């Protein structure tokens, strides 16, 4: 089922999401399926639960649409991260352009560490702790930020913040155009 994506200004995007009781969570598989479907419908490569209105520490990523000769490893990078916690961030900050399904029409360069270690439960609810670097680390950090109520526009330079201020203010008022299903504040 395709769910509406919550847009900038929605309070849930600013909440610190909580771990779930994964064993007893009602229809967790269904929720994950819906998150993938919603993400694909919007042509995204990542989606976090707060973006569909749930303040819970779950996000999905699928980098396969970005697989290339240069990056064959993206082809099978499709994963759900449940009760995700980044335990370490390493490396110099790298500046790369990002966008977000909750902030349509804005793309800005965001500084992020080059490597992370993340602990989480996989879709079989098995605990894992893995190290990621490069673009994978970036996507994980972007989605993980959603679990802490942080949006990529919080991390851009003061100058760029001023440049996007009006667009963000309009989004908060529900003035936003995009071609997937969304839910604005008003
Ligand atoms: Ni996002």
């Amino acid at each position: 089922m395709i769910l509406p994506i919550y847009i900038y200004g929605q309070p849930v995007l600013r909440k610190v999401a909580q771990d779930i009781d994964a064993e007893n969570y009602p229809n967790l598989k269904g929720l994950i399926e819906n998150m993938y479907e919603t993400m694909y419908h919007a042509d995204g490569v990542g989606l976090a639960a707060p973006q569909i209105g749930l303040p819970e520490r779950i996000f999905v990523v699928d980098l396969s649409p970005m697989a290339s000769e240069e990056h064959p490893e993206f082809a099978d990078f499709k994963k759900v991260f449940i009760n995700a916690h980044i335990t370490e961030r390493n490396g110099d900050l790298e500046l790369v352009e990002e966008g977000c399904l909750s902030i349509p029409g804005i793309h800005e360069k965001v500084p992020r560490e080059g490597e992370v270690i993340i602990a989480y439960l996989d879709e079989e609810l098995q605990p894992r702790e893995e190290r990621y670097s490069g673009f994978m680390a970036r996507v994980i950090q972007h989605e993980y930020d959603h679990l802490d109520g942080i949006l990529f526009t919080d991390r851009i330079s003061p100058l760029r913040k001023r440049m996007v201020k009006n667009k963000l203010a309009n989004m908060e008022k529900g003035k936003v155009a995009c071609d997937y299903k969304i839910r604005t504040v008003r």
Side-chain angles (χ1 to χ4, degrees):
M1 186 176 34
I2 295 166
L3 305 168
I5 292 177
Y6 284 55
I7 296 296
Y8 189 94
Q10 284 279 8
V12 68
L13 295 175
R14 291 309 194 177
K15 284 191 181 153
V16 175
Q18 301 299 309
D19 282 343
I20 60 161
D21 177 359
E23 301 281 348
N24 299 305
Y25 193 92
N27 196 14
L28 182 57
K29 283 228 170 353
L31 169 65
I32 293 165
E33 250 170 56
N34 289 344
M35 286 179 70
Y36 277 122
E37 202 182 338
T38 301
M39 177 180 81
Y40 294 138
H41 176 71
D43 286 328
V45 293
L47 185 78
Q51 295 182 276
I52 52 159
L54 294 177
E56 297 173 341
R57 300 192 78 81
I58 305 171
F59 64 85
V60 296
V61 292
D62 184 356
L63 296 189
S64 59
M66 301 181 76
S68 62
E69 258 173 55
E70 204 185 334
H71 288 292
E73 73 277 17
F74 292 172
D76 43 35
F77 190 76
K78 176 183 173 180
K79 272 172 193 285
V80 57
F81 294 78
I82 300 164
N83 294 350
H85 293 274
I86 288 181
T87 55
E88 229 179 278
R89 298 178 198 248
N90 299 307
D92 296 334
L93 292 176
E94 297 160 11
L95 209 53
V96 174
E97 194 172 271
E98 296 184 14
C100 179
L101 296 178
S102 292
I103 313 177
I106 296 181
H107 295 85
E108 295 290 337
K109 285 187 174 166
V110 183
R112 297 202 189 269
E113 280 92 351
E115 187 187 277
V116 292
I117 298 175
I118 185 166
Y120 66 99
L121 304 177
D122 68 14
E123 57 192 326
E124 308 303 331
L125 308 187
Q126 294 307 304
R128 291 180 177 274
E129 189 162 19
E130 290 165 346
R131 181 186 302 265
Y132 289 100
S133 59
F135 190 70
M136 289 177 176
R138 174 165 296 273
V139 173
I140 285 170
Q141 287 176 85
H142 176 115
E143 297 313 324
Y144 186 83
D145 267 354
H146 280 297
L147 309 185
D148 285 339
I150 299 167
L151 300 169
F152 82 92
T153 45
D154 302 342
R155 296 194 182 275
I156 62 180
S157 73
L159 172 68
R160 294 309 305 171
K161 272 186 191 161
R162 284 202 296 280
M163 303 294 283
V164 299
K165 200 171 160 228
N166 286 342
K167 270 193 186 175
L168 291 177
N170 281 334
M171 258 182 235
E172 280 180 319
K173 291 180 203 143
K175 282 187 220 157
V176 55
C178 81
D179 55 7
Y180 46 87
K181 212 157 90 177
I182 58 173
R183 183 163 291 170
T184 57
V185 173
R186 44 190 128 165

